Amino acid sequence: MTLALTAAAFALATAWAQTTAGPAPAKPMTMTDVLAAASASDWRTLDPENTLYLELDGGRRVVIELAPAFAPQHAANIRTLAREGYYDGLAIVRSQENYVVQWGDPNGDDEAKAKAPKRGKRALAPEFVRDAKGLAFTRIPDIDGYAPEVGFAHGFHAARDPKRGEAWLAHCYASVGAGRGMTVDSGSGAELYVVIGNAPRHLDRNITLVGRVVQGMEHLSTLPRGTGPLGFYEKPEQNVPIRSIRLAAEVAAAERVKLEILRTDTETFTKLVETRRNRRDDWFKVPAGHVELCNVPIPVRVPPNP
Amino acid sequence: MTLALTAAAFALATAWAQTTAGPAPAKPMTMTDVLAAASASDWRTLDPENTLYLELDGGRRVVIELAPAFAPQHAANIRTLAREGYYDGLAIVRSQENYVVQWGDPNGDDEAKAKAPKRGKRALAPEFVRDAKGLAFTRIPDIDGYAPEVGFAHGFHAARDPKRGEAWLAHCYASVGAGRGMTVDSGSGAELYVVIGNAPRHLDRNITLVGRVVQGMEHLSTLPRGTGPLGFYEKPEQNVPIRSIRLAAEVAAAERVKLEILRTDTETFTKLVETRRNRRDDWFKVPAGHVELCNVPIPVRVPPNP
């Protein structure tokens, strides 16, 4: 017999085809129950102004949601770079096991050959943290070693330090950030990385996160690992070409991906977190009584037909 | 310029070619400093009786260390299955994004076609936890939401509950476990899974971990994701053939991988953990003051020439 590891798997980035609520589910609920009972208002649509399509060869599309509430200057710069076609023809140059995939200008080290943005910038002031004031933050009660408080804000995994009055995005699987050099103001979004391994939370507050991949992670996580230091590809022919990065707002409506994201500031989401904290599926024998921030999935679905 | 994300990357499963200690490093130390200063006795060799070679096509070899201190019955059964060639010709049948890769008998659901082990068993009593008594446990002080205490035992990421007198292996990236069905005694090691995503610690104490991959994770983590439920491949031709799984003790010495693992019960390892808790590399601006258990790498090296 082929044994399923778990009856209710970690369903990150799964499209939920069904939303019709069935009969009232018996308590305790599983994640499937919670999603089945969710109402239309529990879901939000992606804002085309905050959505990027990273297009690779073979029709592979990666959908990224930007987080302007945390990195407004970087988000604006990335929009500008996408609109002017800066990323088109660049490449994925790094794939490091259990860490990150990164892309940018393969000729970036050679000032003579480097691609110069027209209006976009190649260096920006850091946006490692933001003022916690004015930020709607849905805290989860679970302890965390990297931050006094963790939870969700604007639909992203986030952390908060009330004493310092700061909030920031947390480095989770699928988080997208702006690569930088040794100085804090050397990033801009012209180079971007995506987390493909265990949550590297030590990077929090040390580099600017700009958003997260909401669909297509498998196109990045399965790329061959680079054999150079830090997982950089050693030969130019190993680089993975980027056809384009487009802002969804610049793409014809018919070519946009129709996706909805589960809101993180609702009673439904609170229930979902509880189903991850204490698994009630029959397969589980010992509920954990805890959920690590990055182990909370933010479900994505193809919206049902109107 | 091509920006390195971080100057001292998470170097899991990197072969450390250099061991000659240089001049006494200035404090605070980085992980590179700690490894450079390590002595020969800080390293241990893999026991061929506890080492598996999973051989895939194209010369891709995955090296797994078994953990008989935690799962003695499963380790013994896996040794028996490997010795009798049970795994040879089976396949990787599942690759689930941000979760696990799993292998076993693709015909396992069809009793008529299923491969029957000769002496190995297809079901065993669970080994989810063990008695904490008699287990040398190197605790780290960092808080953890999934267990009262975390640290290392026999070279593996582990957890402990003093009140219950129990210890168990923690589900980290590269952990290897025995797939099971709905009943706790339906696993045996005839089917195995490897974690390829964010640490799924909620599986702790719910399934038997048997060891971890110490080299070759990239051959598993980059496999195409299955598109069926739970990441199972939907067509037989998508299955990834397993040439063989051999116990290193059964392989001619010349064909064995020469690897050493950093011991986890030493002053050197305690220093290494501190370099992960508070990054002192120039690139970092804010040390985390904490390290999540699974973010502590257990370095592997090719031993220096005698």
Side-chain angles (χ1 to χ4, degrees), chain A residues 209-271:
Chain A
L209 282 174
V210 301
R212 61 185 281 268
V213 172
V214 295
Q215 191 177 67
M217 262 306 289
E218 69 278 14
H219 302 313
L220 301 174
S221 61
T222 60
L223 291 174
R225 304 304 183 226
T227 50
L230 306 177
F232 279 93
Y233 293 126
E234 297 188 271
K235 298 173 187 171
E237 62 268 29
Q238 294 173 319
N239 291 340
V240 178
I242 289 174
R243 288 206 170 180
S244 65
I245 298 183
R246 292 271 174 274
L247 198 62
E250 302 280 303
V251 171
E255 288 168 31
R256 291 184 198 158
V257 182
K258 281 168 193 60
L259 285 181
E260 290 183 345
I261 316 276
L262 197 71
R263 295 174 62 105
T264 55
D265 57 353
T266 59
E267 194 185 337
T268 291
F269 194 77
T270 298
K271 287 180 188 168

Side-chain angles (χ1 to χ4, degrees), chain B residues 111-134:
Chain B
E111 278 304 318
K113 291 186 188 174
K115 185 171 180 174
K118 296 188 195 87
R119 294 178 309 283
K121 290 174 184 159
R122 299 189 64 189
L124 282 178
E127 298 179 297
F128 298 168
V129 300
R130 58 154 282 167
D131 197 327
K133 264 189 215 143

Side-chain angles (χ1 to χ4, degrees), chain B residues 20-296:
Chain B
T20 317
K27 301 248 172 182
M29 294 172 91
T30 66
M31 189 164 84
T32 306
D33 299 330
V34 170
L35 289 169
S39 66
S41 62
D42 285 319
W43 299 87
R44 63 186 172 89
T45 53
L46 280 172
D47 178 353
E49 281 289 331
N50 287 323
T51 305
L52 298 174
Y53 298 151
L54 162 61
E55 309 279 2
L56 304 176
D57 289 343
R60 291 170 294 166
R61 174 180 278 184
V62 179
V63 182
I64 296 168
E65 182 177 20
L66 292 173
F70 286 90
Q73 299 308 316
H74 283 73
N77 192 50
I78 290 166
R79 278 189 213 103
T80 300
L81 291 167
R83 280 202 163 96
E84 70 176 47
Y86 171 76
Y87 299 106
D88 308 357
L90 301 187
I92 296 170
V93 294
R94 179 185 183 194
S95 170
Q96 184 174 4
E97 178 61 15
N98 190 19
Y99 205 40
V100 297
V101 157
Q102 185 172 337
W103 62 84
D105 182 357
N107 297 315
D109 286 332
D110 182 340
E111 278 304 318
K113 291 186 188 174
K115 185 171 180 174
K118 296 188 195 87
R119 294 178 309 283
K121 290 174 184 159
R122 299 189 64 189
L124 282 178
E127 298 179 297
F128 298 168
V129 300
R130 58 154 282 167
D131 197 327
K133 264 189 215 143
L135 177 71
F137 188 92
T138 306
R139 188 181 175 188
I140 61 173
D142 305 83
I143 64 160
D144 184 89
Y146 290 100
E149 297 180 3
V150 290
F152 295 84
H154 289 266
F156 293 88
H157 301 86
R160 188 168 67 171
D161 184 339
K163 281 190 190 157
R164 298 178 64 93
E166 292 174 345
W168 59 91
L169 291 178
H171 276 81
C172 293
Y173 192 93
S175 291
V176 178
R180 71 161 173 90
M182 292 300 282
T183 59
V184 294
D185 57 358
S186 54
S188 72
E191 296 207 31
L192 293 166
Y193 65 90
V194 177
V195 174
I196 61 161
N198 196 53
R201 295 282 308 283
H202 55 278
L203 295 176
D204 291 3
R205 299 181 291 159
N206 279 288
I207 193 163
T208 302
L209 282 173
V210 301
R212 60 185 280 269
V213 173
V214 295
Q215 192 177 66
M217 262 306 289
E218 68 278 13
H219 301 312
L220 301 175
S221 61
T222 61
L223 291 175
R225 305 303 183 226
T227 49
L230 306 176
F232 279 93
Y233 293 127
E234 296 187 272
K235 298 173 187 170
E237 61 267 29
Q238 294 173 320
N239 291 340
V240 178
I242 289 174
R243 287 205 171 182
S244 66
I245 297 183
R246 292 271 174 273
L247 199 62
E250 302 281 303
V251 171
E255 288 168 31
R256 291 183 198 161
V257 181
K258 281 169 193 59
L259 285 181
E260 290 184 345
I261 315 275
L262 197 71
R263 295 174 60 106
T264 55
D265 56 354
T266 59
E267 193 183 338
T268 291
F269 193 77
T270 299
K271 286 180 187 168
L272 180 139
V273 174
E274 172 56 22
T275 70
R276 300 292 88 184
R277 183 179 296 119
N278 291 299
R279 307 285 179 125
R280 301 302 184 181
D281 317 270
D282 290 341
W283 187 88
F284 283 90
K285 307 306 170 188
V286 182
H290 171 80
V291 64
E292 188 266 317
L293 175 68
C294 295
N295 274 338
V296 178

Side-chain angles (χ1 to χ4, degrees), chain A:
Chain A
M1 60 197 154
T2 300
L3 304 178
L5 171 61
T6 154
F10 191 107
L12 185 71
T14 296
W16 299 92
Q18 295 262 344
T19 52
T20 316
K27 301 248 173 186
M29 294 172 91
T30 65
M31 190 165 83
T32 306
D33 298 330
V34 170
L35 289 170
S39 65
S41 62
D42 285 319
W43 298 87
R44 62 185 174 90
T45 53
L46 281 171
D47 178 353
E49 280 290 329
N50 287 324
T51 305
L52 297 174
Y53 298 151
L54 162 61
E55 309 279 1
L56 304 175
D57 289 344
R60 291 171 293 167
R61 174 180 278 183
V62 179
V63 182
I64 297 168
E65 182 177 19
L66 293 173
F70 285 89
Q73 298 308 315
H74 283 72
N77 192 49
I78 290 166
R79 277 189 214 104
T80 300
L81 290 167
R83 282 201 163 95
E84 71 177 48
Y86 171 77
Y87 298 106
D88 306 358
L90 301 187
I92 296 171
V93 295
R94 177 185 185 194
S95 170
Q96 185 174 4
E97 179 59 18
N98 191 18
Y99 205 40
V100 296
V101 157
Q102 185 172 337
W103 62 84
D105 183 356
N107 297 314
D109 286 332
D110 182 341
E111 278 304 318
K113 290 187 188 172
K115 185 171 180 176
K118 297 186 194 89
R119 294 177 310 281
K121 289 175 186 160
R122 296 189 64 188
L124 282 178
E127 297 178 297
F128 299 169
V129 299
R130 58 154 281 168
D131 197 327
K133 264 188 213 143
L135 178 69
F137 187 91
T138 306
R139 188 182 176 189
I140 62 173
D142 305 83
I143 63 161
D144 184 89
Y146 290 101
E149 297 180 1
V150 290
F152 295 84
H154 288 267
F156 293 88
H157 300 86
R160 187 168 68 171
D161 184 339
K163 280 190 190 158
R164 299 178 62 95
E166 291 174 347
W168 58 91
L169 290 179
H171 276 82
C172 294
Y173 192 93
S175 290
V176 178
R180 71 162 173 90
M182 294 299 282
T183 58
V184 295
D185 58 358
S186 54
S188 73
E191 296 209 31
L192 292 166
Y193 65 90
V194 176
V195 173
I196 61 160
N198 197 52
R201 296 282 308 282
H202 54 279
L203 296 175
D204 291 1
R205 299 181 293 157
N206 279 286
I207 192 162
T208 302
L209 282 174
V210 301
R212 61 185 281 268
V213 172
V214 295
Q215 191 177 67
M217 262 306 289
E218 69 278 14
H219 302 313
L220 301 174
S221 61
T222 60
L223 291 174
R225 304 304 183 226
T227 50
L230 306 177
F232 279 93
Y233 293 126
E234 297 188 271
K235 298 173 187 171
E237 62 268 29
Q238 294 173 319
N239 291 340
V240 178
I242 289 174
R243 288 206 170 180
S244 65
I245 298 183
R246 292 271 174 274
L247 198 62
E250 302 280 303
V251 171
E255 288 168 31
R256 291 184 198 158
V257 182
K258 281 168 193 60
L259 285 181
E260 290 183 345
I261 316 276
L262 197 71
R263 295 174 62 105
T264 55
D265 57 353
T266 59
E267 194 185 337
T268 291
F269 194 77
T270 298
K271 287 180 188 168
L272 181 140
V273 175
E274 172 56 22
T275 70
R276 300 293 88 185
R277 183 181 294 120
N278 290 301
R279 306 284 180 126
R280 301 301 184 184
D281 317 88
D282 291 340
W283 187 90
F284 283 90
K285 307 306 170 187
V286 182
H290 172 80
V291 64
E292 188 265 318
L293 175 67
C294 295
N295 274 338
V296 178
I298 303 175
V300 174
R301 71 169 183 179
V302 176
N305 289 325

